Amino acid sequence: MPHYNEMFELSVEDMDLIETALRRNRDALSQALLERSAGAHDDRAETLRRIQELLGRLHNQKIFYRPRSGIYVGG
Protein backbone atom coordinates (compact mmCIF):
# COMPACT_ATOMS: atom_id res chain seq x y z
CA MET A 1 0.00 0.00 0.00
CA PRO A 2 1.42 3.44 -0.87
CA HIS A 3 2.35 5.89 1.88
CA TYR A 4 1.96 9.64 2.02
CA ASN A 5 4.98 11.82 1.36
CA GLU A 6 5.69 13.66 4.61
CA MET A 7 8.53 15.81 3.26
CA PHE A 8 7.49 18.75 1.13
CA GLU A 9 9.76 21.13 -0.75
CA LEU A 10 7.73 24.32 -1.02
CA SER A 11 9.16 27.79 -1.38
CA VAL A 12 7.88 30.87 0.43
CA GLU A 13 6.27 31.94 -2.84
CA ASP A 14 4.51 28.56 -3.11
CA MET A 15 3.13 28.95 0.40
CA ASP A 16 1.99 32.49 -0.37
CA LEU A 17 0.16 31.26 -3.47
CA ILE A 18 -1.52 28.48 -1.48
CA GLU A 19 -2.61 30.91 1.26
CA THR A 20 -3.94 33.39 -1.30
CA ALA A 21 -5.95 30.67 -3.05
CA LEU A 22 -7.36 29.43 0.25
CA ARG A 23 -8.35 32.96 1.29
CA ARG A 24 -10.11 33.59 -2.03
CA ASN A 25 -11.95 30.29 -1.74
CA ARG A 26 -12.88 31.12 1.86
CA ASP A 27 -14.20 34.52 0.84
CA ALA A 28 -16.29 33.05 -2.00
CA LEU A 29 -17.77 30.40 0.29
CA SER A 30 -18.55 33.00 2.95
CA GLN A 31 -20.34 35.15 0.40
CA ALA A 32 -22.32 32.17 -0.87
CA LEU A 33 -23.38 31.28 2.67
CA LEU A 34 -24.48 34.87 3.36
CA GLU A 35 -26.64 34.88 0.25
CA ARG A 36 -28.44 31.67 1.25
CA SER A 37 -31.32 31.55 3.71
CA ALA A 38 -30.39 31.61 7.38
CA GLY A 39 -31.52 28.05 8.16
CA ALA A 40 -29.90 26.31 5.19
CA HIS A 41 -26.46 24.81 5.78
CA ASP A 42 -24.68 22.45 3.48
CA ASP A 43 -21.17 21.19 2.83
CA ARG A 44 -20.01 24.76 2.21
CA ALA A 45 -20.07 25.57 5.91
CA GLU A 46 -17.97 22.50 6.70
CA THR A 47 -15.54 23.34 3.88
CA LEU A 48 -15.32 26.92 5.14
CA ARG A 49 -14.47 25.69 8.64
CA ARG A 50 -11.79 23.34 7.31
CA ILE A 51 -10.21 26.09 5.19
CA GLN A 52 -10.09 28.45 8.17
CA GLU A 53 -8.48 25.78 10.35
CA LEU A 54 -5.89 25.06 7.64
CA LEU A 55 -5.07 28.76 7.30
CA GLY A 56 -4.64 28.87 11.08
CA ARG A 57 -2.25 25.91 11.05
CA LEU A 58 -0.23 27.48 8.23
CA HIS A 59 -0.03 30.75 10.19
CA ASN A 60 1.13 28.94 13.33
CA GLN A 61 4.03 27.33 11.45
CA LYS A 62 5.47 30.66 10.35
CA ILE A 63 8.55 32.07 12.03
CA PHE A 64 8.28 35.81 12.46
CA TYR A 65 11.46 37.90 12.62
CA ARG A 66 12.13 39.93 15.72
CA PRO A 67 15.57 41.46 16.32
CA ARG A 68 17.34 40.19 19.42
CA SER A 69 19.02 43.48 20.22
CA GLY A 70 17.83 47.03 19.90
CA ILE A 71 14.39 48.51 20.02
CA TYR A 72 11.58 46.61 18.33
CA VAL A 73 8.73 48.65 16.87
CA GLY A 74 5.89 46.35 15.84
CA GLY A 75 2.93 47.13 13.67
Side-chain angles (χ1 to χ4, degrees):
M1 175 179 268
H3 297 283
Y4 291 107
N5 179 10
E6 295 181 4
M7 298 298 295
F8 295 95
E9 296 180 16
L10 298 173
S11 68
V12 174
E13 291 81 16
D14 294 337
M15 292 302 297
D16 187 49
L17 179 62
I18 291 168
E19 284 186 88
T20 301
L22 285 170
R23 284 190 186 104
R24 287 184 182 173
N25 196 356
R26 177 199 60 193
D27 294 345
L29 284 172
S30 295
Q31 188 63 35
L33 285 174
L34 286 174
E35 293 171 356
R36 293 181 56 98
S37 61
H41 286 288
D42 54 11
D43 291 337
R44 292 181 212 177
E46 176 64 19
T47 302
L48 184 61
R49 183 189 64 77
R50 291 179 62 205
I51 288 173
Q52 190 59 44
E53 286 179 0
L54 177 56
L55 284 169
R57 287 195 310 270
L58 289 173
H59 175 79
N60 291 339
Q61 291 184 29
K62 292 180 181 178
I63 299 173
F64 295 94
Y65 174 75
R66 183 175 184 148
R68 293 180 187 239
S69 63
I71 298 173
Y72 174 71
V73 180

